[in-house]
Amino acid sequence: MKRLHLNLNLTGVIVTLAVGVLLPVLLSTAVGIVALVLAKDTAGIVTGVLVICFAVTTIGSALVALVLTSHKARLARSQADFVANVSHEFRTPLSAIRLYAQTLQSGKLDDDPEQTANCIDTILRETKWLEVMVDRVLTWRAASKDLMQLNLERRPVTGAVDTAIERFSSMVPPGEVSLSQDIESRIDVAHDQHALQAVVLNLLTNAYKYTNKVKEIDVCITDNEDEVVIAVKDNGIGISTKDKAKIFQAFYRAGEEHREGASGAGLGLAIVSNLVTRHKGTIDVESEPGKGTTFFIHLPIAAEVTV
Ligand code: ADP
């Protein structure tokens, strides 16, 4: 509805410009040209040139107005999409929390301590998803406005990766994900523990969201000569070659037809890319649609980075 309204506004502006500006300007240009052709003295030539200059200036102003208006409309549209996507993303855990809380409140499970414990566990898990989503929006705001101070410390990345895995494991139902890890690393990397944890957690939540029923995720750290590589691999829906180039842009969401209602606001990978770049690292992705995806975070070893 909102999009339709914005499109109509833009169409209105274009029609108004065409009728109200273009026609009079074309007429004035014609008048200017005729005045120039028929000019018998300097005054005639000056008049013709002035009329043509006026027409050219008006067309220029109209074009600038059109560009600004369409830019504003695009911005308003992406803001509306963002608010809708974030609300949709928040609604899923909120609905689950309400449902399970109502079940507990109804007293139906009073004689079933096991189910009661399951209910409480689910409520806690959904609350953790909510926390991660709120963190993501706040991190994006801080990162995009350059308000985020990184506290770089030289140490192996194992601690940050391990904390992210622990946090992720507490968010998903037991047994739903087969998560393997090989996260030993001995090399120091100058990194902000909190930021690196956010990077890995974003990749893990994506690996979970964009994978079908059988979820296999593998996290692995490799120490190379001049860098440490963190890889997060899944057996999910994959990413097409066309989308690979765009997924790190803020608000971009790929593969609507395959992601089976997985909600999101398109911020996770933009945050990952921002934080990795600020660690002077790089990120790349290997993916095959229908088979799975691996994200690689390359971080330079501490000696290479000036803290
Ligand atoms: P969000 O998940 O909120 O949409 P992201 O920025 O984290 O935003 O991801 C952008 C897009 O990249 C997603 O919408 C999805 O289409 C695609 N994507 C990210 N991670 C994966 C993955 N592991 N497997 C398949 N597609 C992915």
Side-chain angles (χ1 to χ4, degrees):
M1 195 66 187
K2 227 168 201 155
R3 175 167 291 190
L4 181 68
H5 180 63
L6 287 169
N7 283 346
L8 285 179
N9 276 352
L10 191 57
T11 315
V13 171
I14 293 169
V15 171
T16 313
L17 281 176
V19 176
V21 178
L22 218 55
L23 281 180
V25 164
L26 282 178
L27 280 175
S28 338
T29 314
V31 170
I33 292 169
V34 172
L36 265 183
V37 172
L38 299 180
K40 293 209 169 70
D41 51 14
T42 324
I45 293 173
V46 170
T47 311
V49 170
L50 279 180
V51 171
I52 290 175
C53 283
F54 169 74
V56 170
T57 313
T58 315
I59 283 209
S61 314
L63 282 178
V64 170
L66 187 63
V67 169
L68 290 180
T69 315
S70 58
H71 176 70
K72 246 181 148 175
R74 249 200 326 272
L75 208 67
R77 207 178 301 149
S78 65
Q79 277 170 353
D81 282 351
F82 172 66
V83 172
N85 285 338
V86 169
S87 311
H88 184 246
E89 204 179 11
F90 278 37
R91 187 193 270 168
T92 316
L94 278 175
S95 307
I97 290 171
R98 185 167 50 80
L99 198 78
Y100 284 94
Q102 279 170 344
T103 310
L104 287 176
Q105 189 190 39
S106 70
K108 282 184 201 151
L109 301 181
D110 282 356
D111 299 329
D112 191 341
E114 197 182 325
Q115 285 300 331
T116 303
N118 282 345
C119 254
I120 295 172
D121 285 349
T122 310
I123 290 176
L124 286 175
R125 270 199 305 275
E126 296 298 339
T127 324
K128 286 174 186 163
W129 275 100
L130 276 178
E131 247 167 35
V132 169
M133 288 168 196
V134 172
D135 276 358
R136 195 178 292 174
V137 176
L138 294 178
T139 308
W140 170 246
R141 187 179 174 277
S144 63
K145 290 190 179 293
D146 241 349
L147 298 173
M148 208 169 157
Q149 291 290 331
L150 292 188
N151 176 23
L152 298 183
E153 289 174 279
R154 292 164 189 257
R155 56 167 79 183
V157 296
T158 308
V161 175
D162 193 35
T163 316
I165 293 177
E166 254 177 48
R167 207 171 155 194
F168 171 72
S169 303
S170 72
M171 291 162 59
V172 296
E176 192 182 1
V177 180
S178 148
L179 181 67
S180 56
Q181 47 180 298
D182 177 4
I183 57 168
E184 268 311 306
S185 172
R186 293 175 191 285
I187 300 182
D188 282 348
V189 169
H191 68 282
D192 179 303
Q193 291 238 65
H194 189 72
L196 193 58
Q197 195 203 112
V199 165
V200 178
L201 188 58
N202 270 303
L203 295 180
L204 285 170
T205 51
N206 276 352
Y208 177 82
K209 282 197 304 186
Y210 302 110
T211 303
N212 299 320
K213 282 214 170 74
V214 181
K215 296 178 188 295
E216 286 165 16
I217 302 177
D218 179 51
V219 185
C220 145
I221 304 178
T222 311
D223 288 347
N224 288 336
E225 203 176 303
D226 55 352
E227 64 170 13
V228 167
V229 184
I230 305 169
V232 178
K233 180 178 180 199
D234 65 57
N235 64 333
I237 59 173
I239 302 167
S240 71
T241 311
K242 165 178 81 70
D243 284 325
K244 270 189 215 162
K246 298 186 190 159
I247 50 174
F248 296 100
Q249 293 168 12
F251 311 119
Y252 185 81
R253 305 205 69 215
E256 188 151 11
E257 61 289 3
H258 304 298
R259 59 175 131 90
E260 296 195 352
S263 56
L267 289 185
L269 291 180
I271 291 173
V272 168
S273 165
N274 180 301
L275 294 180
V276 170
T277 307
R278 291 185 64 188
H279 282 82
K280 302 206 170 23
T282 54
I283 176 164
D284 52 48
V285 54
E286 275 174 13
S287 186
E288 204 178 324
K291 293 249 164 83
T293 302
T294 309
F295 283 95
F296 299 92
I297 308 289
H298 301 259
L299 296 168
I301 63 171
E304 313 277 312
V305 175
T306 38
V307 184

